[in-house]
Amino acid sequence: HQRDKREHTMKKALIASTALVLSAGVAAADVTISGYGRTAVDYQEGRDTEAQMSARVRMNVHATTSTDQGVDFGARLRLQWDQGDAGIDSIAPGQIYVTASGFTVAVGNVGTAYDNAGLLYASEVGLISRSFANSGEFYAYSSKAYGSAAFVDTCDVEEPEVDCGIIAENQTRNRLGASVEYAVDALTARFSYVDPDQTTGSTNEELSVSVDYDWNQIALSAAAVKDGAGLDGNDLFFVGAYYTLAGTDNGVGLSYSDNGSYTDDGTFVDNGKTLVLYGDYVVAPLTTLSAYIANNDSDDNVTDNAFGIGARYDLGGAYLAGSLERGFDEDIRGDFGVRFDF
Amino acid sequence: HQRDKREHTMKKALIASTALVLSAGVAAADVTISGYGRTAVDYQEGRDTEAQMSARVRMNVHATTSTDQGVDFGARLRLQWDQGDAGIDSIAPGQIYVTASGFTVAVGNVGTAYDNAGLLYASEVGLISRSFANSGEFYAYSSKAYGSAAFVDTCDVEEPEVDCGIIAENQTRNRLGASVEYAVDALTARFSYVDPDQTTGSTNEELSVSVDYDWNQIALSAAAVKDGAGLDGNDLFFVGAYYTLAGTDNGVGLSYSDNGSYTDDGTFVDNGKTLVLYGDYVVAPLTTLSAYIANNDSDDNVTDNAFGIGARYDLGGAYLAGSLERGFDEDIRGDFGVRFDF
Amino acid sequence: HQRDKREHTMKKALIASTALVLSAGVAAADVTISGYGRTAVDYQEGRDTEAQMSARVRMNVHATTSTDQGVDFGARLRLQWDQGDAGIDSIAPGQIYVTASGFTVAVGNVGTAYDNAGLLYASEVGLISRSFANSGEFYAYSSKAYGSAAFVDTCDVEEPEVDCGIIAENQTRNRLGASVEYAVDALTARFSYVDPDQTTGSTNEELSVSVDYDWNQIALSAAAVKDGAGLDGNDLFFVGAYYTLAGTDNGVGLSYSDNGSYTDDGTFVDNGKTLVLYGDYVVAPLTTLSAYIANNDSDDNVTDNAFGIGARYDLGGAYLAGSLERGFDEDIRGDFGVRFDF
């Protein structure tokens, strides 16, 4: 039973839900809360307090209904608190979707095709799941309010006791996303569209596509985005492959990405092209070592090579993990902590 | 016990709840989440982008306890996101109620007697459930923070990058509501009281009453409100009747309302009197057509007649619906989309 | 299995949770919502409107996972609305904890050792659970955003229609808490640490300890805090004892506390030392009378003696309660209302 569920909600625990058989329409509705908690020591070379505690509590609220024609409707909200937030100031914007015959169409705060590409984040290590191989600006499912992290210019965050501007949560309040996903056997294809402000015709809309395919021991993933994050001309693409040794959980992957470039407020930003080689090796029961080495050609880099190693120990329902990385600025960061899913 | 509850929350899905039999007092407590998701194309003649996507995710969190004397206590919160919100910036203010012997007394963010009148919104059509027949200012259950939609004057929403005032969420933070409902057989009577600011004695309190009665194939509804929305002299009343053809879901309704008038900041506002004729007809299995024609005598109208037609197709657990309306300003609006309840 | 959980969450209602037996690691995850609703008439002598309605809806969202080694992980969020809030503007910051072998270690928005001392609030009376015997500044579990109640100076709350500063919710957004609790048989020991801003090294960290011990009919409690609420030199301590008459719920308690003193913005604040005698007496089945008399030596007092009496009637799943108190300023306050837990 649990196993079947997992195939769809990998690594998420579900609250048991009653399938209510209503009188006329035979509809089954339920609401589940899943998510995770994690906490870690987070070391970042060069900041005021180099070692700080990091923590996150994420809860996904997921409501679904199935019609008698076998069509599934769902709505999602997310509550997420991160260490450094005064509280959960805003629950994530809502998403509504419908699933039938392998197709899932979603509206609102959608996951984007590029962000959901199967291997995009595969080189990440450590508890906080980070990799210097990932860069570039594009939209993703928003865990908090659209634009909530941005402050109005007149606000001086360092001196909150003086007159302070607001968190400009209205800056992107008219953002509209839509996505389509098609999954059949070993193939998953995705398309997404995000309009930064649907009430005006003046913004650049982001378009993205991605395809994942499993072929024997090899997983393949490709993705592209046009006008990423609504920035004119900020086009990205990604290709990656991961080979798993038969009969093991050991594997090795290789990815290449063009992370886009754009001009914002007169400044030219180039996120460069990244080649990353990474792998995972089960060194002992329940214990996995991972590592990556990434090359990025951006002019802003101090060095063009970044690397990281990580270890993970499975507690059965929770895991300990840690990592050590050196970035393109030659600064070190590392983490060590625990995460559990529910 | 659980069964009785269900009769009241038909078509809503419940998270399965344990009826916990505590040691001494035999109390049963549970928490359920219900609500709906909907999304539609929303066309409004004359605005910048005439066709926009509309969406809503509503979740009602409902906690209840029953004492051994058969008294039910409950608390409610609502999480609601609408397309155009950056996130759920505020969960609705709480409501606390107690039910016994047909009486329900509620405190806090209460539904008001006028807003809950059985036929007040009966002429609505389409997925977004709108009708030009409805106008007038009065309090209702608040799905978001009290006053959250109002910005302080110094804020220019069109230019969020310049210094922007806050959403004046404190403007009505001391609002206090109380309501009583009595339901027995075919009769439901309601009374409500809302004080816009209970900490001062200077605001106008809204009082409202409503009565619904079912008599054979006829549903009757009447309601009145004094100082609606706390506006001095803004008195409204409503009477309506709906006749259902025996053995069918077809019916026809007629309502009359005085939507009140008041002087605000030196400006006289008159919402006029509205007469609305409406009906519903099941044209095919699962398919219902609805229509209304409304007459309003307000001086601000371009025309005194508005009308709308809508269609709805039941998917069993979800439905498709659309509408086309022409308002008192002679502008057209329409919608088409899908909604599901959970 | 479900039963074992219940022994720990007595008097709390659980959303039914599946004991998920995962394939490899035998982990059990569930999410529950518990809390309470209450409403009361709240009388305070000397304020503009002396009698006001008070209300609160509190919901604790609690997610847990157990690993196969018998280690429990958990995450907590709290949603709380109080009469006087425009809505739930912020869900409480998250807490993450792990429990094993009697030890519970928590990170984030933790309960502090001093605030959790077993008898610290034992003299409270009435529905709103208040006692003039309690004073002093120290950190506690935050039910809302860190610092959310504080406005920036430039904001004039009395005139929200003019330019208004923001709720300075960023003032303490980098607060970090950690706590350890050890419970074995009749002993519970706690330690907590709160850094008001972990990103800088310039704030005063609060340290606190407390110990509770049950010895036959006597409960003992002691606690101390250094730099309470991050205020330099604001050290508090507390000792208390409560004696329960064998075979009854009647009892009498005595506590002594030094509530600390500090200099803030050049102003010296002394919360004085408090001695409080209190007791509870079951006068009739389900009916308990409570009373206290407190002596505080602070120079700011009009009188050094405060007292209060309260009554509580158990409805089985809910209770009615009321109180009447006279404070150190010789003003009277009182409450009467109902509360239910779920």
Side-chain angles (χ1 to χ4, degrees), chain C residues 125-130 308-311 321-325 333-336:
Chain C
V125 292
L127 190 90
I128 305 177
S129 295
R130 298 183 292 202
I309 57 165
S323 69
L324 210 59
E325 297 171 87
R333 75 176 174 199
D335 69 351
F336 179 76

Side-chain angles (χ1 to χ4, degrees), chain A residues 1-3 6 12-17 33-34 36-39 48-49 51-57 59 79 81 83-91 151 155-157 160-167 286 313-318 338 340-342, chain C residues 15-18 20-23 25 27 29-31 33 61-69 73-77 79 89-97 107-109 144-146 152-154 166 168-171 173-176 198-201:
Chain A
H1 160 81
Q2 177 56 20
R3 265 256 188 80
R6 259 198 199 164
K12 289 184 179 175
L14 301 180
I15 293 186
S17 49
I33 298 176
S34 62
Y36 65 83
R38 74 178 187 203
T39 184
D48 275 4
T49 307
Q52 296 182 11
M53 289 301 294
S54 161
R56 171 179 290 176
V57 175
M59 295 194 185
L79 289 68
W81 175 79
Q83 175 63 37
D85 296 339
I88 300 179
D89 298 328
S90 182
I91 296 170
F151 280 83
C155 175
D156 185 356
V157 190
E161 69 281 4
V162 300
D163 194 359
C164 178
I166 63 162
I167 294 176
L286 308 175
Y313 180 74
D314 193 347
L315 298 172
V338 67
F340 61 97
D341 287 39
F342 52 81
Chain C
I15 294 187
S17 48
T18 346
L20 295 181
V21 181
L22 301 183
S23 49
D30 60 27
V31 178
I33 299 177
V61 188
H62 189 190
T64 55
T65 301
S66 298
T67 70
D68 37 356
Q69 293 91 4
F73 292 90
R76 299 177 199 272
L77 296 177
L79 289 68
D89 299 329
S90 182
I91 296 170
Q95 178 193 124
I96 292 164
Y97 71 84
V107 173
N109 181 13
K144 300 175 184 177
Y146 294 148
V152 165
D153 286 335
T154 57
I166 63 161
E169 51 202 354
N170 53 330
Q171 289 186 314
R173 59 176 58 239
N174 290 310
R175 175 169 148 186
L176 170 71
Q198 72 157 343
T199 64
T200 67

